[in-house]
Amino acid sequence: MSILITGGAGYIGSHTSVELLNAGYDIVIVDNFSNSKPEVLNRIKELTGKGFKFYEVDVLDKDALSQVFSENHIEAVIHFAGLKSVGESVAMPINYYYNNITGNLILAEVMAKHNVKKIVFSSSATVYGMNNISPLTEDLPLSTTNPYGSTKLMGEQIFQDIYVSDNEWSIALLRYFNPIGAHESGRIGEDPKGIPNNIMPYITQVAVGKREKLNVFGDDYDTHDGTGVRDYIHVVDLAKGHLKAVEKIMGTKGVKIYNLGTGIGYSVLDLVKNFEEATGVKVPYVITKRRPGDIAACFSDPTKALKELNWKTEKTLKDMCKDSWKWQSNNPKGY
Ligand code: NAD
Ligand code: UDP
């Protein structure tokens, strides 16, 4: 019995693969390397001392995906594969809807054909939109402001509708807050292409000397220091949340929705300060104008995941900074 991990070569997928292997699960990874590199697979093996099957397959390729199910005894799927850049999704909505939505549909169709009806889906705090006040609970009204967010909201809807049509399904929709950090070994981490959109890879690239300074997008928000507040979560804590979600869907049916966050909001300047304290490396920054579409504050209420999954985060913001830095400084060019 194996867990199929789509997008397992990516940032969150690789960390989750390590945690699953360390916990004794057999895994099969599917990835098309559209946003990752094959070297990550060697690192996962090195860190765990365990082997696993890998298929260079696009989730949109129904026949190839079906073959993966025919050749393996898949019990459940964790579905990470998808495109994830907000800005890119605004510029290329067709790509985003095509890859993310069609990917969900083809995966679900192939799963049903092979009678595999347990799935963990990567959703995002972006589905809470711009109008809710943090801390965010799972029952709040949802909305989106860009095509990427819409693919996540539609993805949630697709899996809810599949359950309505067939009550044998067991589905966990996980809404991630802001994953940062890396495996404490410094061997796997986030490896963005080009100029990073997200703050932590930008900070580490400034710290390593690849970029001159951080642009802080606005200091006139209604927050404790005027800069944007987010719920940063260590990627290893996030990965462990997937183990709990897998355990949950093994024993139940229905659709379960969980926030995966720390419940604590830190500002951009808090993050810079913690990074400098944790690493001893200075991060020069300038205040620039707000980034369109950004909100002042976004952080989770993680109580439901604690109650129902017995999961909570363990790592601090300093751990996140230290581990991001270890990854970046040991791998200045990524994989
Ligand atoms: P990532 O880009 O590092 O990983 C995604 C992986 O999926 C990549 O290895 C990519 O090559 C692969 N992939 C993409 N389309 C594919 C396809 N059609 N077929 C096969 N493989 C495909 O991203 P990540 O940060 O690890 O995110 C994983 C999931 O979590 C995504 O669905 C993302 O939208 C979601 N998510 C991420 C964040 C975040 O901040 N990183 C926050 C919320 C939700
Ligand atoms: N941010 C910033 N400079 C950057 C990137 C991000 O000041 O180069 C800020 C951004 O305005 C937000 C926070 O950092 O307040 C987190 O942004 P990120 O893009 O990492 O995540 P998201 O916007 O998805 O929460």
Side-chain angles (χ1 to χ4, degrees), residues 178 197-199 202 214-217 228-230 232 268 291 294:
N178 288 53
N197 296 305
N198 294 113
I199 190 156
Y202 206 103
L214 172 71
N215 298 304
V216 176
F217 297 148
V229 164
R230 296 291 182 273
Y232 298 100
V268 174
R291 181 171 65 179
D294 273 358

Side-chain angles (χ1 to χ4, degrees), residues 65-121:
L65 191 61
S66 192
Q67 189 67 23
V68 174
F69 281 80
S70 300
E71 289 177 12
N72 298 281
H73 194 158
I74 306 290
E75 199 178 5
V77 178
I78 307 182
H79 182 35
F80 292 108
L83 303 177
K84 64 162 181 177
S85 158
V86 170
E88 199 177 64
S89 79
V90 175
M92 301 195 291
I94 299 172
N95 270 15
Y96 270 68
Y97 285 114
Y98 186 65
N99 194 71
N100 292 3
I101 300 298
T102 316
N104 292 336
L105 296 176
I106 290 176
L107 174 63
E109 192 184 350
V110 170
M111 287 176 67
K113 183 177 131 198
H114 291 270
N115 204 29
V116 178
K117 297 185 176 177
K118 298 181 198 307
I119 186 164
V120 176
F121 174 64

Side-chain angles (χ1 to χ4, degrees), residues 189-201:
E190 188 171 13
D191 185 17
K193 285 186 178 157
I195 303 171
N197 296 305
N198 294 113
I199 190 156
M200 183 53 98

Side-chain angles (χ1 to χ4, degrees), residues 273-281 317-319 321-322 325:
K273 182 167 167 277
N274 274 272
F275 185 90
E276 292 182 341
E277 286 172 5
T279 65
V281 183
L317 190 63
K318 286 223 168 65
D319 296 330
C321 294
K322 200 165 44 69
W325 178 236

